[in-house]
Amino acid sequence: MSQRSTNLVEPHIPAPRRGEVTAWRVLVVESNAAEAEALVRALKRHGHEVDSVTSGGAALQSYADADLVLIDLELPDLDGLEVCRGIRSTCDVPVIAVTARGSELDRVLGLQAGADDYLVKPYGFRELMARMEAVMRRVRTPEPAERVVSHGPLRIDAGSREVTLHGRPVDVTRKEFDLLYMLASNPDTVIPRKRLIHQIWGDSWSRRTVDTHVSSLRNKLGGSGWIVTVRGVGFRFGGEGG
């Protein structure tokens, strides 16, 4: 694949020696296969663990495991700005917009949507690495206590993805965990059904997907008070079983 087929200009940079750089888990959100391949290859060569997705819906399902997100704003299903807002509404994972949208207004909108930095295509890999390092220095903090959310007898550990109630494990699916964690992390907020759908299920959902998972969680937690339905809007966390 020729470098001319991508927007990434990758000069010959020797791969770093072991211990010279910190390895990050990077999520690349890019619908152009050639550009995604070039970027993933370059990042891996520099020691980073990289996942790549091609849509906004997939990004909203994958960002929680990343240390840094690189996102193109031109995506086939959702506008990249909407994805940025979705990520920023639930966590502070660093986001860098890497896009062909280069006007001043585009940059302002990207930063307002939650991007920590904004890089216009075509770009050099040296500059991208420098911006990644600067963003990580600026925004990365030690693992926050909020990774474990506790409400009364209910404990939700985002690191191990385990739920316990009165000290006993609750067997939940991946999507049930994501739903419960999102609600419990925002206990005073009514979260709209549409936001839950986009951030947890992306494009793969049916009309009753949220209701089915809420019902299952209520059964497993032993009562409806943990998750309260706000008719016509969405759901909120009830706290201590209501």
Side-chain angles (χ1 to χ4, degrees):
M1 178 178 59
S2 170
Q3 287 184 357
R4 293 180 182 178
S5 65
T6 76
N7 280 290
L8 169 62
V9 179
E10 183 184 357
H12 177 69
I13 306 175
R17 296 176 182 177
R18 184 182 300 272
E20 286 186 350
V21 298
T22 300
W24 303 313
R25 293 169 296 178
V26 182
L27 176 64
V28 173
V29 187
E30 171 62 69
S31 60
N32 183 292
E35 292 182 19
E37 181 183 346
L39 181 53
V40 168
R41 183 180 64 244
L43 291 170
K44 285 185 175 180
R45 186 168 181 268
H46 282 73
H48 301 297
E49 179 181 337
V50 189
D51 287 321
S52 179
V53 297
T54 60
S55 68
L60 290 173
Q61 296 181 68
S62 307
Y63 71 86
D65 296 325
D67 296 316
L68 176 69
V69 177
L70 302 177
I71 181 171
D72 186 2
L73 300 183
E74 297 290 345
L75 299 172
D77 55 342
L78 300 172
D79 187 278
L81 296 177
E82 183 178 346
V83 179
C84 287
R85 283 189 287 267
I87 293 174
R88 190 57 66 236
S89 68
T90 61
C91 73
D92 61 354
V93 62
V95 177
I96 299 179
V98 183
T99 178
R101 299 181 186 177
S103 73
E104 181 181 4
L105 178 59
D106 287 324
R107 294 171 188 267
V108 170
L109 291 175
L111 296 172
Q112 288 179 340
D116 296 283
D117 202 350
Y118 197 102
L119 185 60
V120 178
K121 299 177 181 180
Y123 59 92
F125 188 69
R126 289 181 187 273
E127 180 181 5
L128 174 64
M129 290 297 295
R131 288 177 180 269
M132 289 170 61
E133 290 166 3
V135 165
M136 294 300 284
R137 284 197 305 268
R138 187 167 66 246
V139 305
R140 196 62 175 159
T141 59
E143 196 71 13
E146 299 80 68
R147 292 284 287 179
V148 177
V149 178
S150 296
H151 293 280
L154 181 66
R155 185 176 187 272
I156 308 165
D157 189 329
S160 62
R161 296 186 67 83
E162 294 177 342
V163 177
T164 58
L165 183 62
H166 297 290
R168 301 185 185 90
V170 179
D171 185 18
V172 297
T173 68
R174 180 177 179 81
K175 296 302 185 187
E176 287 171 352
F177 181 91
D178 293 340
L179 175 59
L180 182 61
Y181 182 75
M182 186 172 176
L183 292 170
S185 298
N186 302 273
D188 300 319
T189 303
V190 177
I191 301 182
R193 183 184 300 267
K194 183 177 179 181
R195 178 176 156 196
L196 290 170
I197 288 172
H198 277 307
Q199 292 190 217
I200 297 175
W201 286 274
D203 295 326
S204 177
W205 59 278
S206 64
R207 188 175 183 277
R208 294 192 58 80
T209 296
V210 179
D211 294 331
T212 300
H213 283 73
V214 167
S215 177
S216 178
L217 277 172
R218 286 170 172 166
N219 289 334
K220 292 179 178 181
L221 296 175
S224 61
W226 287 107
I227 302 176
V228 178
T229 301
V230 181
R231 295 191 180 280
V233 182
F235 301 89
R236 67 173 176 82
F237 187 74
E240 299 193 35

